[in-house]
Structures are given as C-alpha cells and as structure tokens.
Amino acid sequence: DQQVKQNSPSLSVQEGRISILNCDYTNSMFDYFLWYKKYPAEGPTFLISISSIKDKNEDGRFTVFLNKSAKHLSLHIVPSQPGDSAVYFCAATLISNQFYFGTGTSLTVIP
Amino acid sequence: NAGVTQTPKFRVLKTGQSMTLLCAQDMNHEYMYWYRQDPGMGLRLIHYSVGEGTTAKGEVPDGYNVSRLKKQNFLLGLESAAPSQTSVYFCASSLTSGSSYEQYFGPGTRLTVT
C-alpha cells in the first residue's frame, strides 16, 4: 500500500505565479520529508527537505510546509519559471535507511 | 567529479536471462540504494547498503540480489529476468543518514525484458 501519495498527476501554472504541489502520507512515524525534481531521461535531484519537528522550511523560491496533524506536506514555488517544468516527487523516511516516494506530479510552467 | 554513474544505460533481455547493473559513486558516500521506477508507482526501494560489505532488503527485493564489495560500487543482479522486471532502475548514494538525508541519483538504466 502506498505510504506516500501525490494525488495530482499534473499541474499547469502561468510563469510568475505560485505553484503548489501536494503530498499526503499515512505513517505518522515518518521523521523526515524531501522533495526531488526530475527531468526526462535524468535521475531525480534533491530540492528541499524538512524535519518532522519543523512546520516550514524555505530555500529561495522553494518553501516546504508540513502539517503533521493532517499528514500533509506541500511544496510552494514562487515565482514559477519555465525551467521549473519537471516531475516533482515527495519522499519520506522512517529510520533514514528506507525512503518512500510518491508517484510524482508533472509541473508545466507556461511562459 | 562524476557523481553517481550507472552502467549500462539501456538493456533488452529475454525472459530467463541474467544481468548485472553497476552503480559507481566517487563521493565517498557510505549509503547506496537501488530503486525501480514504474508508471504510476513512483520510486520503490529494492535493496540498500549502509556500508562496504553490508546489504539489506528494501520494499521490493524479490527477484534481485545485490553486492557491495567496494565502498564506491553497488551491483544489482537479476538471476532470471521476468517481464515484470521491465522498469527504469535508479541508483542513489548518500553521505550518512545521520547528517544528511539527501540522496544523489544516477541517470538511470532502462531495462526491457521480453
């Protein structure tokens, strides 16, 4: 059973606007969450992460929010740029050796 | 600094054939991982290693074996390939789980089993 879920397979956003990508998880014991970005024919690259003891982490245009009570995290990209068009995966880890990935959301930023 | 490299990039196998996928990293990372990515399934962990000479099962280990004889290399073996193993395989490495959870991924190997 999928422990990390991304229910939106795709998202389209106008350049300059905010992109919000969502992720839900089922295991309340997860202690760390990560977002990865993937371009076609390449491996995923790390984007941003957040510990379960925090509710927000910001890095430039990227902010990750964690709502533990709802078992929900989101990635905000502001402002969105055409180069942000990629597949975004959220991931969670329990004991830091095993990582559980969502199915990905394909973001298209329209110029 | 090449990061994480994977060999081969593409491969077609017949059912029952065997093969080994090679992952190499030059970042002196302790942890290495093998994932498979299938449509609609995300990335699923096959096996991982927390150091030279050690391996452990992940989420979907059946049909695969691994070895970590050298710190920089992590091999994934398929002894008798099945069509269900058609997938894109990604290798990843990380420094340690205690100080950083960030994983560095290779470019992937696309395997087709007919």
Side-chain angles (χ1 to χ4, degrees):
Chain A
D1 193 26
Q2 198 82 12
Q3 298 198 45
V4 177
K5 299 179 182 179
Q6 293 176 258
N7 293 319
S8 298
S10 62
L11 175 68
S12 290
V13 171
Q14 287 290 134
E15 181 179 3
R17 307 293 285 266
I18 184 172
S19 295
I20 300 176
L21 295 93
N22 295 303
C23 182
D24 297 298
Y25 59 95
T26 57
N27 192 336
S28 58
M29 298 299 291
F30 284 139
D31 58 2
Y32 212 81
F33 303 88
L34 308 94
W35 283 95
Y36 286 84
K37 177 179 178 180
K38 185 182 180 305
Y39 292 117
E42 295 182 10
T45 55
F46 171 75
L47 197 56
I48 192 169
S49 62
I50 187 168
S51 165
S52 62
I53 62 173
K54 295 185 176 181
D55 54 20
K56 177 182 175 181
N57 188 27
E58 192 172 353
D59 184 3
R61 296 186 297 114
F62 303 92
T63 303
V64 56
F65 295 92
L66 176 63
N67 182 335
K68 288 186 289 293
S69 61
K71 298 192 184 68
H72 177 83
L73 70 156
S74 61
L75 174 68
H76 292 209
I77 306 173
V78 183
S80 299
Q81 300 174 353
D84 296 329
S85 297
V87 177
Y88 289 79
F89 290 96
C90 65
T93 183
L94 177 59
I95 55 173
S96 73
N97 292 337
Q98 298 213 29
F99 292 79
Y100 297 88
F101 282 77
T103 52
T105 296
S106 178
L107 173 66
T108 301
V109 180
I110 304 163
Chain B
N1 198 347
V4 179
T5 58
Q6 293 182 229
T7 309
K9 288 186 169 48
F10 303 93
R11 185 72 187 268
V12 179
L13 285 179
K14 293 188 188 312
T15 298
Q17 287 185 320
S18 64
M19 78 163 294
T20 300
L21 281 67
L22 171 63
C23 176
Q25 52 95 5
D26 60 3
M27 296 173 284
N28 202 34
H29 285 173
E30 291 292 335
Y31 286 62
M32 296 187 75
Y33 313 80
W34 275 108
Y35 292 90
R36 59 178 289 174
Q37 184 190 10
D38 302 295
M41 297 295 290
L43 284 86
R44 292 182 293 168
L45 182 64
I46 304 171
H47 286 279
Y48 64 98
S49 168
V50 301
E52 181 178 320
T54 71
T55 63
K57 294 180 180 179
E59 196 181 351
V60 289
D62 294 341
Y64 305 95
N65 57 75
V66 287
S67 64
R68 183 98 180 268
L69 299 179
K70 293 182 178 180
K71 185 177 183 179
Q72 63 267 34
N73 296 337
F74 196 28
L75 278 63
L76 178 71
L78 286 74
E79 291 186 348
S80 179
S84 61
Q85 294 177 305
T86 293
S87 188
V88 180
Y89 291 85
F90 289 101
C91 176
S93 70
S94 63
L95 188 57
T96 66
S97 61
S99 61
S100 171
Y101 293 87
E102 177 184 349
Q103 295 177 312
Y104 295 80
F105 282 84
T109 295
R110 184 174 293 276
L111 175 66
T112 302
V113 183
T114 60

